[in-house]
Amino acid sequence: MNDDLVAQVRNALREVIDPELGHNIVDLGFIYDITVVDGTAHITMTATTPGCPASGFLKDGAFRSASRVVGIDSVDVLMTFEPAWKPSMIEPATKALLGFP
Amino acid sequence: MIGGNLTKWTMSYFAVAIVWLIIGECLMTIGFGFPFAATEAPDTLFVVHIVCIGWLSMAMCGALFQFVPVLVAKPLFADSWQLPALMLLTVGLVALLGGFMVLGGHLPVWLWLLPTAALLLVAGFGLVVTDLAITIWRARASIGPAYFVIAGLCSLCATAALGSAFAWSLAGLGGASALLRSGIPLHAIAGLGGWLTLTAMGVSYRLLAMFMLAPDLDKRRIRTTLFAGSATIGLVVAGGLFAIAREIGINVVLISAGCLGFITLALYGRNIISLYWRRERAQLELNAKMSAWGFVSLAAAVLLAAVLAISGSFQTHVEAFAFLVAFGWLSGLVLAKLYKIVAFLTWLETYGPVLGRSATPRVQDLVIERRAAKWFVAYFISVWSGTAALLLGQSAAFQVAAFAMAVATLGIVQQLIRTRRLADVTGPLRLPGGSRAPHLLYASI
């Protein structure tokens, strides 16, 4: 049940795209961790660079999309830059689409 | 704060800056100022200050209000200072231009205009410098791109102080005649080389790394370049003032600073090449390609300065060198970055609030690079042609080049307006539910 909710939250987060790279934040490797405890989704995520003006919007977007999952009562999003995001964290298929080595 | 904020007035700074740029280009087209007047003639100073304060400084201030928080990952110290600063700078510049009109005999002898302009500009730049400096200081950032901004802001203070001394002296209110006689190179180098170039260097490191997904540069490399650049401007200002005070001539200081400046730009060039070389994004966007043309213009300006200095003709052709620095390097880089920044900020303002609620376009969907590219190409070719015309003493050809620059600038501006109006985003993605079309001249936040 819990794994199912985590999967649903992960899927919901695919609605959020990084405006620069144009792909969703899950496939880009921005989502470091998702746990669901007592109906609360805890999401640990990052962005390409600290201080990026988009990072606040990405965090809010993750909050909104996860909040819409049935069975999730509240959402807690933590934005972190430890460890720093690297292009190697991108899913291979997305990396190929982006033309990254 | 981890994420940066959108600043309300950055677009307004950009809009005001672009208007001044087009005015400056039109004046050059009709033959106002150099090469139809002497370098130090009031008409030339009129155009020079439109370009340096109206266009370059306004655009730089607008960009810094948005990107210093990105450089230090902290919010701006005082958001509410941006609009008063913009108004003070605009009124101050108009007063300064009025002062030059007085000196040129185009207006009655209202000499009070010059000191008034100095006070207004110092107040406007004072707000900018204080806001940005406190923002950086509070972030306790380690040495990096933000320190270039600090060095640029210190240079801006020196430029403004020297300019104020000139203004008071020209109005007959100060006794800085020796400074007025010999200090203009210090004012110009502190402004173009210190404030505008050092700041552009710092911002370009961060923006290029951010938009090309290049790994941040090694801190030692940044530190070495920063020290060399700061030492260059420090030597020009402090050494120059000392030489003027002792009446020993400033040529030795300028030649020494030129050598140090050459080293600085060589180090910077190496760093920029490294950023392009190590980028993750294989496909370069138009802004990165056109920024590279700006860097090529800087390299060409350095080469030109070296050749002119070796051949002993630098003094004769200093205007061509300054033109290439102002329009090829600084304006080229600023226009290229504006093309990206306007799209990026417009996206954040329009689609950021609905992220996770509706499907949204990408930043790149707000622009059509193929259409903008031809205007950028026309711009750089006309700048390089204008430089050649100045070197060859062909005034009419320079006017043609200035006209071509103005047309190309208008073409680029039209693309910026289309971006701001979301004109190239089609279908339901253009304004998904809950989003609002952005205002052309400021951010609705």
Side-chain angles (χ1 to χ4, degrees):
Chain A
M1 176 62 188
N2 209 44
D3 287 349
D4 191 37
L5 271 177
V6 168
Q8 286 183 52
V9 169
R10 187 176 298 279
N11 263 337
L13 293 177
R14 290 182 200 279
E15 291 173 22
V16 182
I17 67 157
D18 176 78
E20 258 304 290
L21 298 173
H23 288 267
N24 73 70
I25 58 176
V26 175
D27 292 345
L28 288 173
F30 286 6
I31 304 300
Y32 285 170
D33 188 44
I34 303 171
T35 57
V36 177
V37 180
D38 298 331
T40 299
H42 300 275
I43 300 166
T44 306
M45 66 177 291
T46 192
T48 50
T49 181
C52 170
S55 58
F57 291 114
L58 292 173
K59 185 181 175 188
D60 291 347
F63 175 88
R64 276 191 292 267
S65 57
S67 298
R68 293 213 307 271
V69 173
V70 176
I72 296 296
D73 303 322
S74 61
V75 177
D76 170 39
V77 184
L78 173 69
M79 179 67 79
T80 181
F81 291 93
E82 292 290 335
W85 178 84
K86 291 185 297 237
S88 59
M89 295 172 175
I90 304 174
E91 292 287 324
T94 307
K95 205 190 273 188
L97 285 173
L98 285 166
F100 284 11
Chain B
M1 188 198 75
I2 290 176
N5 284 324
L6 281 178
T7 56
K8 189 173 181 70
W9 303 109
T10 286
M11 287 297 161
S12 317
Y13 275 85
F14 291 165
V16 171
I18 285 167
V19 169
W20 283 119
L21 171 62
I22 292 167
I23 292 172
E25 289 170 338
C26 289
L27 287 171
M28 290 190 292
T29 301
I30 62 170
F32 193 83
F34 190 85
F36 295 92
T39 311
E40 64 286 351
D43 288 0
T44 303
L45 298 179
F46 188 93
V47 179
V48 164
H49 286 82
I50 282 179
V51 173
C52 292
I53 297 178
W55 156 234
L56 291 170
S57 295
M58 292 282 194
M60 192 63 83
C61 289
L64 289 177
F65 280 132
Q66 182 61 59
F67 285 100
V68 161
V70 176
L71 295 181
V72 299
K74 294 279 179 195
L76 205 57
F77 170 66
D79 281 315
S80 59
W81 292 8
Q82 293 167 38
L83 187 58
L86 177 61
M87 293 163 83
L88 284 166
L89 291 174
T90 303
V91 178
L93 177 58
V94 170
L96 183 66
L97 298 177
F100 290 134
M101 296 292 272
V102 169
L103 294 178
H106 305 298
L107 283 179
V109 190
W110 297 334
L111 284 175
W112 51 268
L113 273 170
L114 284 169
T116 306
L119 288 174
L120 289 165
L121 288 170
V122 165
F125 281 126
L127 285 179
V128 175
V129 169
T130 308
D131 199 1
L132 296 173
I134 293 178
T135 303
I136 296 171
W137 176 73
R138 293 203 314 183
R140 305 280 195 275
S142 59
I143 284 191
Y147 279 70
F148 280 87
V149 178
I150 291 283
L153 295 176
C154 291
S155 305
L156 173 58
C157 293
T159 311
L162 287 166
S164 298
F166 298 155
W168 286 75
S169 183
L170 284 167
L173 298 171
S177 55
L179 187 63
L180 186 61
R181 213 168 36 248
S182 314
I184 290 172
L186 314 188
H187 178 61
I189 294 170
L192 277 177
W195 155 231
L196 293 166
T197 292
L198 287 180
T199 309
M201 285 163 72
V203 174
S204 65
Y205 281 148
R206 194 75 199 100
L207 289 189
L208 284 172
M210 195 165 96
F211 290 131
M212 297 197 305
L213 291 182
D216 283 329
L217 286 164
D218 179 63
K219 279 195 167 34
R220 272 176 310 177
R221 277 188 173 201
I222 292 185
R223 198 179 308 146
T224 313
T225 315
L226 173 69
F227 286 163
S230 305
T232 304
I233 303 303
L235 178 61
V236 168
V237 176
L241 287 175
F242 177 77
I244 290 169
R246 299 291 298 268
E247 298 179 357
I248 53 176
I250 61 169
N251 281 348
V252 174
V253 172
L254 295 183
I255 290 167
S256 311
C259 295
L260 204 47
F262 184 83
I263 293 169
T264 305
L265 294 174
L267 292 169
Y268 176 62
R270 184 189 64 164
N271 293 343
I272 290 297
I273 289 169
S274 170
L275 277 176
Y276 274 85
W277 190 252
R278 294 168 64 206
R279 73 183 193 272
E280 294 284 349
R281 295 183 95 159
Q283 195 69 32
L284 282 180
E285 291 179 350
L286 184 65
N287 79 88
K289 286 180 195 163
M290 293 301 110
S291 296
W293 288 34
F295 298 129
V296 168
S297 299
L298 176 62
V302 171
L303 195 63
L304 177 65
V307 170
L308 292 175
I310 290 166
S311 64
S313 55
F314 184 78
Q315 204 62 39
T316 319
H317 294 298
V318 67
E319 299 85 3
F321 167 74
F323 179 82
L324 187 56
V325 169
F327 288 100
W329 152 235
L330 290 167
S331 301
L333 183 74
V334 170
L335 283 170
K337 285 297 153 209
L338 276 190
Y339 186 70
K340 180 69 186 181
I341 294 170
V342 168
F344 187 59
L345 297 182
T346 301
W347 189 99
L348 292 178
E349 185 185 342
T350 311
Y351 303 109
V354 297
L355 206 53
R357 204 158 49 199
S358 310
T360 55
R362 304 167 306 155
V363 174
Q364 276 304 88
D365 295 328
L366 274 62
V367 296
I368 296 181
E369 292 195 342
R370 187 173 28 82
R371 207 166 47 203
K374 62 176 179 289
W375 296 118
F376 276 103
V377 171
Y379 176 81
F380 278 104
I381 288 175
S382 47
V383 168
W384 296 336
S385 307
T387 308
L390 287 177
L391 283 170
L392 298 171
Q394 298 295 319
S395 303
F398 175 74
Q399 283 180 280
V400 173
F403 176 70
M405 281 168 62
V407 172
T409 303
L410 286 170
I412 294 168
V413 171
Q414 187 203 16
Q415 302 308 307
L416 298 179
I417 293 172
R418 287 185 67 83
T419 299
R420 206 61 198 140
R421 294 211 160 122
L422 310 172
D424 294 316
V425 189
T426 51
L429 281 185
R430 182 171 179 270
L431 277 178
S435 61
R436 280 190 307 173
H439 193 279
L440 184 63
L441 299 178
Y442 59 87
S444 305
I445 53 168

